[in-house]
């Protein structure tokens, strides 16, 4: 079926000006919207949305916002994922999908009820983050106001500004963005909710700043050492030697450079882990919870003879322990150097929380379990 996106006349210009209405009596912040990567009239969903939620995402990759816009434009159909706006690169806004028409960003219910979904591109640069954050917050807020949606974030009612985590907890999915990324730059959930509620002035100052709370005494940590053991099967050949965590040199990763692999298994010494692979022939395969290279049905991810081009991992920390997650990265046969670092909840890096580049055979993989990335 050919999907058509009925774009409103005038939206597809090389650039347009979007005004963020901040608060009554406050100056508006003008920001330029770049439409260079907007889906054309023959691309994207033709289904209109109900106007109940605006969804806040983080891209999950430490890459320029424009790269994410290019990726979504290029793979909107094959990857089945795109949103209306991506914010980043020092307060820039890139349009991909059309407002008021369903994007493919957070599952069927969310897509049907969100006239606007917004990604925040991730950066290590704190100054750039704060420029992006102001624009992101104001775009979330102004979009909600535009469609008569409450500006409350993650409230118990089914209307308002919702994080992808809220959608996961209340509807469907396994993503927790944007909170992990916001926290990496010192923004708490409470601060984010406050900022979206009140917005920022044209100077970038908070309209109604909250007092700094008195720090609470830190609680003792209960962090366990978790080790992951994993191995790849070389297509047409044999299982390679297993690798524990990661390191430098040829023993520091699973796989063979410039080779193709078709099966994967992994296990942890503490907690639980699930994993799955994407193959060029089959797409995403079911989650695997065991590790047994002799059981190619339930003990490994992949299908013998089919090329792996993506890996997704989720580690579950036992109750009462310091939260830890899987950090992993991969390389492909078609690119030099590792791709972005991925976190199992999709808040640190990697295109939407998976390692790999779809369409390109994965030739090596590194994994470790910790409370922060060690790469």
């Amino acid at each position: 079926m050919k999907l058509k996106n009925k774009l409103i006349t005038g939206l597809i210009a090389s650039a347009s000006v979007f005004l963020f209405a901040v608060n009554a009596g406050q100056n508006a912040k003008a920001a330029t919207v770049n439409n260079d990567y907007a889906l054309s009239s023959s691309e994207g969903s033709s289904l209109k949305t109900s106007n109940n939620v605006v969804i806040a995402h983080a891209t999950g990759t430490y890459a320029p916002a424009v790269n994410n816009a290019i990726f979504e434009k290029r793979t909107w159909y094959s990857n089945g994922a795109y949103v209306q706006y991506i914010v980043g690169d020092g307060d820039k806004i890139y349009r991909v999908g059309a407002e008021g028409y369903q994007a493919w960003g957070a599952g069927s219910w969310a897509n049907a009820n969100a006239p606007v979904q917004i990604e925040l591109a991730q950066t290590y640069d704190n100054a750039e983050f704060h420029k992006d954050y102001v624009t992101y917050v104001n775009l979330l807020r102004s979009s909600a106001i535009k469609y008569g949606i409450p500006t409350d974030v993650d409230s118990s009612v089914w209307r308002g500004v919702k994080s992808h985590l809220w959608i996961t907890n209340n509807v469907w999915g396994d993503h927790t963005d944007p909170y992990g990324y916001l926290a990496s730059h010192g923004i708490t959930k409470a601060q984010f909710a406050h900022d979206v509620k009140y917005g920022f002035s044209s100077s970038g100052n908070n309209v109604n700043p909250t007092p700094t709370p008195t720090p609470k005494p830190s609680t003792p940590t209960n962090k366990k050492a978790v080790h992951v053991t994993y191995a790849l099967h070389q297509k047409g050949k044999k299982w390679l030697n297993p690798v524990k965590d990661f390191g430098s040199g040829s023993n520091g990763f699973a796989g063979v450079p410039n080779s193709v692999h078709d099966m994967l298994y992994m296990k942890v010494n503490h907690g639980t882990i699930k994993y799955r692979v994407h193959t060029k022939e089959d797409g995403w395969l079911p989650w695997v919870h065991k590790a047994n290279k002799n059981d190619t049905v339930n003990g490994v991810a992949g299908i013998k003879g089919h090329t792996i081009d993506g890996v997704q991992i989720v580690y579950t920390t036992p109750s009462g322990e310091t939260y830890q997650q899987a950090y992993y990265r991969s390389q492909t046969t078609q690119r030099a150097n590792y791709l972005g670092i991925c976190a199992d909840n999709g808040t640190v890096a990697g295109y939407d929380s998976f390692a790999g580049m779809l369409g390109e055979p994965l030739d090596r993989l590194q994994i470790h379990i910790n409370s922060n990335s060690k790469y």
Side-chain angles (χ1 to χ4, degrees):
M1 180 179 69
K2 187 175 183 181
L3 301 175
K4 292 187 176 180
N5 211 353
K6 301 177 182 177
L7 298 176
I8 301 171
T9 302
L11 285 184
I12 305 302
S14 61
S16 62
V17 174
F18 195 105
L19 293 180
F20 299 134
V22 179
N23 226 17
Q26 294 291 335
N27 295 326
K29 175 176 173 52
T32 298
V33 177
N34 183 312
N35 289 304
D36 290 347
Y37 313 104
L39 299 182
S40 70
S41 59
S42 62
E43 298 174 318
S45 174
S46 63
L47 300 175
K48 290 187 175 181
T49 63
S50 298
N51 301 331
N52 290 312
V53 295
V54 171
I55 301 177
H57 298 271
T59 58
T61 176
Y62 281 90
V66 66
N67 288 16
N68 287 277
I70 292 169
F71 181 80
E72 290 193 7
K73 166 70 172 176
R74 176 168 57 85
T75 66
W76 72 271
Y77 186 79
S78 62
N79 197 39
Y82 68 93
V83 296
Q84 279 83 8
Y85 295 109
I86 301 170
V87 174
D89 300 346
D91 80 0
K92 293 181 173 60
I93 304 170
Y94 299 91
R95 187 195 309 274
V96 179
E99 284 191 21
Y101 290 85
Q102 292 188 22
W104 298 341
S108 58
W109 182 90
N111 297 340
N113 284 276
V116 177
Q117 298 190 48
I118 304 169
E119 295 270 16
L120 177 60
Q122 298 184 187
T123 176
Y124 293 109
D125 187 316
N126 200 47
E128 181 176 304
F129 165 78
H130 283 287
K131 291 179 182 179
D132 296 342
Y133 179 69
V134 168
T135 300
Y136 176 64
V137 163
N138 282 347
L139 181 55
L140 287 166
R141 186 173 187 277
S142 63
S143 297
I145 292 171
K146 177 179 179 179
Y147 288 96
I149 296 170
T151 57
D152 300 308
V153 175
D154 289 354
S155 69
S156 60
V157 301
W158 288 71
R159 298 191 76 240
V161 177
K162 305 298 183 183
S163 67
H164 203 161
L165 173 63
W166 189 94
I167 300 298
T168 293
N169 289 341
N170 293 276
V171 186
W172 171 88
D174 59 4
H175 291 188
T176 60
D177 54 300
Y179 292 119
Y181 173 59
L182 295 180
S184 73
H185 285 283
I187 302 296
T188 64
K189 291 181 181 181
Q191 184 65 53
F192 177 60
H194 173 274
D195 294 342
V196 173
K197 181 75 173 177
Y198 296 102
F200 291 90
S201 68
S202 59
S203 65
N205 293 322
N206 201 296
V207 171
N208 185 25
T210 54
T212 302
T214 302
K216 295 181 179 179
S218 60
T219 55
T221 61
N222 182 21
K223 184 178 179 180
K224 305 295 184 181
V226 182
H227 300 290
V228 56
T229 302
Y230 53 104
L232 281 165
H233 183 274
Q234 194 172 10
K235 184 176 177 180
K237 296 186 179 180
K238 63 179 182 179
W239 281 102
L240 302 169
N241 291 332
V243 176
K244 183 178 179 180
D245 301 328
F246 79 101
S248 59
S250 59
N251 293 324
F253 59 84
V256 175
N258 303 311
S259 186
V260 179
H261 304 87
D262 54 6
M263 291 185 288
L264 166 71
Y265 76 83
M266 67 182 69
K267 59 185 178 180
V268 289
N269 68 320
H270 185 73
T272 59
I273 197 166
K274 68 176 182 177
Y275 57 101
R276 64 177 180 171
V277 300
H278 185 283
T279 71
K280 294 177 68 174
E281 296 84 358
D282 313 291
W284 285 107
L285 297 174
W287 290 101
V288 176
H289 301 265
K290 301 178 181 179
N292 182 354
K293 65 182 181 182
N294 296 316
D295 180 359
T296 57
V297 176
N298 299 307
V300 304
I303 297 174
K304 192 171 184 178
H306 291 199
T307 300
I308 294 174
D309 58 1
V311 174
Q312 192 172 33
I313 306 167
V314 175
Y315 173 76
T316 300
T317 306
S319 177
E321 295 182 10
T322 301
Y323 177 72
Q324 299 188 79
Q325 58 183 324
Y327 291 91
Y328 54 108
R329 62 182 184 176
S330 68
Q331 192 163 326
T332 81
T333 58
Q334 297 175 227
R335 298 168 189 261
N337 303 318
Y338 282 98
L339 300 171
I341 303 165
C342 303
D344 65 17
N345 62 7
T347 60
V348 174
Y351 280 113
D352 206 19
S353 76
F354 72 86
M357 187 64 66
L358 301 187
E360 300 179 10
L362 182 147
D363 70 349
R364 68 200 81 177
L365 178 68
Q366 289 187 323
I367 313 168
H368 72 284
I369 311 295
N370 213 302
S371 56
N372 61 289
S373 174
K374 300 298 182 182
Y375 295 117

